[in-house]
Amino acid sequence: MREALLLLVAGFGGFIGSLMSGGSLITLFILTLFEIPTKTAIGTLKMVIAVLTLVSSLTYLKAGILNLKMAFTVVFFSLIGSYVGSAFLLSMSEETANFIVMAFLLIGTYFVLKEPQGEPVFSGKLAQSIVGLAIGIYIGVLGIESTLVVISLLRMFFRLDILRANAMAKAIIFFNNLVAFITYAESGSVDYSIGLLLMFPVIIGSWLGAKTALKIDSKHLKGMFIGISLLTLANLLRNLID
């Protein structure tokens, strides 16, 4: 019964994550319930989120709203940042990793509430490279609420509309999570049995979420994401105290 409930929640996480953001929060919350070490939970999260964002990226690409030229530059430099961020977290103790996870959760929540205004701040390949590097470091360390963080940066600096920013964010996050997953896997910080258990419902939820994202406004999801963020923070804090 518990396993069936977790699978349903995982499918919902895939749906929400593909729709806009929050899938990583839901998935991490599920993983923390298994009481596995934080770094292993993050490594397994990278595996699941890579699959989620691959499905949604292909769906958005088919719909013709993904700017491949701009995505290539941002993805390339974000991969460098992702490697640095992953190596940074894996070098820490379990207690320090918990604090870093909670700090980045708070940062992600800030970007959920941030609304860009005015004209584009940056333009050109250099700006895309710098923003891509910053995105990669964030995703490599944690990536919680990464879609909304990436969308916020893309809108803030380049003023992409919400749907195109979402499509590009999924492509960026896929490649970064793939590299981060490989890094965690090499250190033995991935629980494949749990990851594979969550994979099937995540794929179905991701496909449905990407289809739905083409039709609805994402602003109504912010309250849900913040709520899940607070639940995950509370659970990580409980693990730290225990």
Side-chain angles (χ1 to χ4, degrees):
M1 181 65 182
R2 182 190 179 206
E3 288 75 11
L5 179 60
L6 290 175
L7 291 176
L8 287 174
V9 175
F12 178 68
F15 176 82
I16 293 297
S18 185
L19 185 63
M20 183 56 60
S21 184
S24 54
L25 275 174
I26 296 172
T27 306
L28 180 61
F29 181 66
I30 294 172
L31 291 170
T32 57
L33 293 178
F34 285 97
E35 298 184 350
I36 61 179
T38 298
K39 285 186 281 189
T40 301
I42 299 301
T44 307
L45 174 69
K46 301 301 180 185
M47 173 183 171
V48 176
I49 298 303
V51 173
L52 186 162
T53 50
L54 174 61
V55 173
S56 55
S57 293
L58 293 175
T59 304
Y60 290 128
L61 180 62
K62 185 178 180 180
I65 60 173
L66 179 59
N67 185 339
L68 290 176
K69 184 176 180 180
M70 180 178 178
F72 178 81
T73 302
V74 179
V75 165
F76 178 79
F77 282 92
S78 67
L79 290 176
I80 300 174
S82 180
Y83 177 79
V84 172
S86 297
F88 177 64
L89 182 63
L90 288 170
S91 67
M92 299 176 182
S93 66
E94 190 67 24
E95 291 76 13
T96 304
N98 264 316
F99 281 115
I100 293 296
V101 166
M102 289 188 286
F104 272 89
L105 276 171
L106 292 174
I107 292 172
T109 302
Y110 167 78
F111 276 105
V112 170
L113 300 173
K114 185 73 174 177
E115 287 290 340
Q117 298 177 353
E119 295 299 319
V121 178
F122 297 134
S123 62
K125 296 292 184 181
L126 179 59
Q128 293 171 11
S129 302
I130 295 173
V131 172
L133 186 65
I135 287 171
I137 292 174
Y138 177 82
I139 295 173
V141 171
L142 180 59
I144 292 299
E145 294 190 280
S146 54
T147 300
L148 281 177
V149 170
V150 175
I151 288 173
S152 296
L153 289 173
L154 292 173
R155 296 185 68 200
M156 186 183 305
F157 294 119
F158 306 120
R159 296 302 189 263
L160 297 180
D161 67 74
I162 190 70
L163 190 58
R164 293 185 184 279
N166 186 27
M168 187 173 297
K170 291 300 186 295
I172 293 169
I173 293 166
F174 162 67
F175 284 104
N176 278 273
N177 274 274
L178 179 62
V179 171
F181 159 65
I182 293 171
T183 304
Y184 282 94
E186 288 177 344
S187 70
S189 298
V190 176
D191 190 317
Y192 293 98
S193 60
I194 295 177
L196 291 173
L197 176 67
L198 301 178
M199 200 72 71
F200 183 68
V202 164
I203 290 174
I204 295 177
S206 178
W207 179 77
L208 291 174
K211 288 290 187 180
T212 306
L214 299 171
K215 303 177 182 179
I216 68 170
D217 188 345
S218 63
K219 292 182 179 179
H220 301 295
L221 299 174
K222 287 186 177 181
M224 182 185 300
F225 300 152
I226 293 171
I228 296 169
S229 178
L230 293 176
L231 285 174
T232 305
L233 279 167
N235 201 45
L236 288 171
L237 183 60
R238 178 183 62 82
N239 291 340
L240 190 64
I241 294 174
D242 293 342

